[in-house]
Amino acid sequence: MSKKFILVSPKNRTVYNFRGDLIAEIKRKGYEVIVTGPNTDNLEQIKTLGVRFYEIPMNKTGINIFSDIKYLLALRKLFKEERPDAMLGYTVKPVIYGAIAAKMARVANINSMITGVGYLFVSKTMKARILRALARILYIIGLKCADHVIFQNRDDLDEFISNGLVKRSKCHVVNGSGVNMAKYTVTSFPDRMTFFMLSRALISKGVREYFKAAKIVKDRYRENVRFMFLGAIENMPDSISKEELEPYIEDGIIDYFGESKNVSEYFDQCSVFVLPSYREGTPRTVLEAMSKGRPIITTDAPGCRSTVLEGQNGYLVPVGNIEKLVEKMECFIEHPEFVEKMGRASYELCKDRFEVDKVNAAMIRIMNL
């Protein structure tokens, strides 16, 4: 009888985009893998991973005590029925409620992965402050149930420990989710200097800073520079509106592409990848860009700073600083020879630190699989 492993996911798309290689490695260790998701979106792609799937509805962003309890009880029921040998939850609710449910069902090996702290920890609104206080309480309870807590950068680990959310003895750090470098291969650069940002259209991702910097640079260099943005406008408190984005599109400042299942072709069109995020776990989009041999401009913020060796494979700018963002963009425009040089350095850094097999080997070791 094979061993069982349950992966508790917040969004189906992240299963095959970010966890597919990890699932394959867990299966090679002799486990049957079961995946939970909040709906049946993209179910065919998940099934190609050779897993069993359970739909367990979850409100990812809202705080509703009744729906959250329902989610917790559904997870407990699944754990009791399947009796897994180990489990892993990632992002806020799967980490908290997944670990509590697993503890209630007496799962022997409970693992939680903090993939970033996001909107709740960076927003200064009153609503975010209230939700942050509640999340801290829930994190204490949930992480107390976990045997291993995995962080994607040391800044998050230190913050959780200093705030008393988790004991240091159960904490570990890995280099993000890793990137499959055989999938994201190096390609040639475009003839025109092109900056590219890929993310959900969230304020905390630095979308506003990117748009405003693009306008300044575009006004100065006109048709000699191009700006691309790929990402969905979502119904979230932190999201910008379609109305805010439209003027940049109509004025020809931003080439906007919405969502795509094949992001690699957009990396191929760019010279430099930009992510002015306020905070990340370790940004997967940056790792993909590095694997493609692209230089990086990102922020000197938790999660982001670990992807850049200043002046070698790109530049770090202060969070929210449009002037510095413009300065670094113009540095590449005025010195186009930096693109290829820093792009090679990005690739080598990615190969050394962030290649998916290395990250997954660390995950397997930490989870004692």
Side-chain angles (χ1 to χ4, degrees):
M1 188 175 182
S2 67
K3 297 172 287 186
K4 290 183 182 179
F5 185 96
I6 292 183
L7 181 71
V8 184
S9 167
K11 188 175 182 179
N12 294 355
R13 192 171 178 179
T14 66
V15 174
Y16 61 87
N17 272 350
F18 302 158
R19 313 288 168 226
D21 292 298
L22 178 61
I23 288 171
E25 188 60 32
I26 293 171
K27 290 174 64 180
R28 279 193 285 271
K29 292 293 182 181
Y31 289 82
E32 176 190 10
V33 178
I34 300 163
V35 172
T36 78
N39 49 49
T40 57
D41 293 350
N42 305 296
L43 188 54
E44 289 307 311
Q45 288 96 324
I46 292 176
K47 287 185 175 179
T48 63
L49 300 174
V51 301
R52 281 197 288 130
F53 179 83
Y54 280 86
E55 179 185 2
I56 301 182
M58 177 193 69
N59 184 346
K60 183 182 175 183
T61 58
I63 299 294
N64 182 306
I65 187 64
F66 298 107
S67 65
D68 285 358
I69 289 175
K70 187 177 180 180
Y71 179 62
L72 169 66
L73 295 178
L75 286 172
R76 185 187 67 169
K77 181 174 183 289
L78 175 65
F79 288 134
K80 283 193 169 185
E81 289 176 353
E82 294 291 345
R83 300 177 66 185
D85 299 273
M87 63 78 65
L88 170 67
Y90 62 97
T91 75
V92 181
K93 290 190 178 182
V95 160
I96 293 169
Y97 298 119
I100 294 172
K103 193 72 172 180
M104 292 169 70
R106 298 184 179 180
V107 176
N109 185 351
I110 302 171
N111 302 280
S112 298
M113 182 159 64
I114 310 298
T115 56
V117 297
Y119 162 76
L120 280 185
F121 280 65
V122 299
S123 176
K124 294 179 173 58
T125 66
M126 181 57 66
K127 180 180 179 181
R129 289 176 182 175
I130 294 170
L131 294 179
R132 184 157 57 241
L134 176 59
R136 289 182 188 277
I137 295 170
L138 292 173
Y139 265 130
I140 291 171
I141 298 170
L143 296 180
K144 187 175 182 180
C145 295
D147 298 298
H148 314 106
V149 181
I150 304 166
F151 293 85
Q152 294 195 332
N153 66 70
R154 190 157 294 279
D155 290 300
D156 286 350
L157 181 151
D158 290 341
E159 181 168 339
F160 271 59
I161 291 171
S162 65
N163 283 293
L165 305 184
V166 64
K167 291 183 178 179
R168 182 178 290 275
S169 59
K170 62 173 67 177
C171 294
H172 310 266
V173 178
V174 297
N175 290 322
S177 300
V179 60
N180 187 332
M181 297 185 71
K183 179 179 178 182
Y184 293 92
T185 56
V186 176
T187 54
S188 59
F189 294 101
D191 294 332
R192 180 167 53 152
M193 183 64 65
T194 302
F195 297 95
F196 175 44
M197 179 175 178
L198 165 59
S199 85
R200 292 174 295 166
L202 303 181
I203 296 168
S204 59
K205 294 291 185 181
V207 171
R208 281 179 176 161
E209 286 81 357
Y210 179 68
F211 291 166
K212 290 177 180 179
K215 185 178 188 311
I216 294 170
V217 175
K218 191 76 172 177
D219 286 345
R220 293 174 183 173
Y221 294 90
R222 304 293 179 179
E223 297 307 311
N224 292 323
V225 64
R226 180 188 183 203
F227 289 88
M228 301 163 57
F229 178 71
L230 175 68
I233 298 173
E234 299 194 4
N235 183 25
M236 296 177 64
D238 190 34
S239 182
I240 68 166
S241 66
K242 185 179 180 181
E243 291 71 25
E244 186 173 347
L245 175 59
E246 281 177 344
Y248 294 94
I249 300 171
E250 293 170 357
D251 293 345
I253 298 165
I254 299 288
D255 291 340
Y256 176 59
F257 299 100
E259 282 191 288
S260 173
K261 293 182 179 179
N262 182 20
V263 299
S264 184
E265 63 183 80
Y266 295 92
F267 286 114
D268 293 344
Q269 298 177 51
C270 85
S271 312
V272 179
F273 186 76
V274 183
L275 184 69
S277 178
Y278 297 3
R279 184 167 188 155
E280 297 283 330
T282 296
R284 173 63 177 264
T285 55
V286 171
L287 304 189
E288 291 168 353
M290 292 168 67
S291 182
K292 298 287 290 185
R294 265 52 185 176
I296 306 299
I297 301 175
T298 189
T299 47
D300 189 11
C304 298
R305 63 171 67 102
S306 64
T307 64
V308 168
L309 299 176
E310 181 68 18
Q312 295 184 40
N313 74 308
Y315 298 108
L316 296 173
V317 298
V319 172
N321 192 318
I322 297 168
E323 181 180 341
K324 285 293 183 182
L325 184 55
V326 168
E327 177 185 307
K328 297 309 179 184
M329 288 176 174
E330 291 186 330
C331 188
F332 282 110
I333 296 171
E334 298 295 335
H335 301 277
E337 68 275 13
F338 288 178
V339 173
E340 186 173 348
K341 178 183 176 182
M342 291 190 180
R344 286 197 301 269
S346 269
Y347 176 85
E348 293 300 329
L349 180 60
C350 188
K351 185 178 178 181
D352 180 55
R353 293 186 185 176
F354 302 107
E355 202 281 324
V356 72
D357 288 344
K358 294 181 179 180
V359 174
N360 286 343
M363 290 283 295
I364 295 295
R365 184 174 63 252
I366 291 165
M367 294 189 291
N368 292 327
L369 300 184

